[in-house]
Amino acid sequence: DRGRVNGVLGVIENISERKAAERQREELLANLRKANEQLATNQRLLRTIFDTIPHRLAVNDGDSRYLMVNFAMASRFGHAEGEFVGQTPRDLEFLTAAEQEQYLRSILSVLETGAAFELPETRSVLPDGKEELIRFLCVPVRDANGRTVGTVSVTEDISEWRKADQVRAELMEGLRHANDDLRDFAYIVSHDLKAPLRGISSLAEWL
């Protein structure tokens, strides 16, 4: 008869593999979220350390472009980090010609040779015209295959350190003079005392 149910057709589908795949996908997504959170935490930690270091730090890529600079570096020139990023030293108009040449020469040397570049002591002029004495070091950044793909440069202001050295040297020189004066005084006193002592000794022998 029309419309009457004459039977039932059932379909059974095995979705075990699909569920397993879904669980695996959820686990992968959870692990990826966790890894991203850990990466973000590590980046914040690195940034905090990077900006807390009092020396001037700069990271450049294989084309000499700035990837990042720390707070000390940006403050030294009175410009925000964003004004460095993506630029080469020659692009930065607020650098003097000497500074542009120094930074670019060091970066290119490290990129070409893979060896560190160091300037033990050199003079630099601050934006306000004052001079400072700095020590500069540029080292390579290598990829997993050991190829040099960038650089990290460190600039240390050693002006106060050198001033302290000078003060210490002056104090040591003053101490040497004081010791010489004391030695001369002791010699004179000793010489002046010998005559009376000899007289007393002679008198004692006579008696």
Side-chain angles (χ1 to χ4, degrees):
D1 295 337
R2 293 181 178 179
R4 291 179 60 188
V5 177
N6 295 323
V8 177
L9 176 64
V11 179
I12 298 176
E13 179 184 2
N14 186 354
I15 60 172
S16 302
E17 292 183 0
R18 189 178 72 186
K19 287 297 184 182
E22 289 177 354
R23 284 195 300 270
Q24 186 177 22
R25 183 168 60 89
E26 289 300 324
E27 290 175 1
L28 289 174
L29 289 174
N31 290 335
L32 181 60
R33 284 193 294 269
K34 185 176 180 180
N36 286 336
E37 290 172 0
Q38 186 62 50
L39 178 61
T41 299
N42 290 342
Q43 288 176 333
R44 287 194 297 271
L45 176 61
L46 174 63
R47 186 77 234 192
T48 300
I49 296 173
F50 196 66
D51 281 330
T52 302
I53 293 174
H55 304 328
R56 300 165 207 156
L57 303 178
V59 181
N60 293 73
D61 64 15
D63 294 318
S64 303
R65 293 188 298 262
Y66 286 97
L67 297 177
M68 59 190 299
V69 299
N70 71 341
F71 178 77
M73 180 74 168
S75 298
R76 156 65 171 84
F77 297 100
H79 290 265
E81 181 187 12
E83 297 180 62
F84 288 83
V85 175
Q87 307 295 316
T88 70
R90 281 212 177 113
D91 297 326
L92 302 178
E93 296 181 355
F94 50 83
L95 295 181
T96 65
E99 288 169 333
Q100 290 177 349
E101 177 63 24
Q102 172 190 311
Y103 287 125
L104 191 59
R105 180 163 56 96
S106 65
I107 293 168
L108 292 178
S109 173
V110 174
L111 290 174
E112 291 172 3
T113 66
F117 179 96
E118 182 176 8
L119 291 174
E121 289 186 13
T122 186
R123 294 199 174 276
S124 178
V125 181
L126 295 167
D128 60 6
K130 293 182 180 178
E131 280 194 351
E132 63 176 356
L133 192 63
I134 64 170
R135 184 161 50 198
F136 179 81
L137 176 66
C138 187
V139 297
V141 175
R142 306 184 193 279
D143 64 13
N145 297 316
R147 294 179 304 171
T148 301
V149 295
T151 64
V152 174
S153 61
V154 183
T155 305
E156 179 186 7
D157 182 359
I158 59 174
S159 304
E160 294 302 321
W161 182 54
R162 279 298 180 219
K163 287 179 183 178
D165 273 354
Q166 183 177 355
V167 171
R168 183 166 57 249
E170 291 172 354
L171 289 174
M172 292 299 295
E173 184 65 21
L175 182 59
R176 278 194 293 272
H177 284 308
N179 285 337
D180 290 343
D181 292 342
L182 181 60
R183 185 171 57 252
D184 293 343
F185 175 75
Y187 172 79
I188 293 171
V189 171
S190 174
H191 182 270
D192 290 346
L193 287 176
K194 284 180 181 178
L197 288 175
R198 280 197 296 267
I200 295 173
S201 177
S202 297
L203 178 62
E205 291 177 359
W206 182 78
L207 293 174

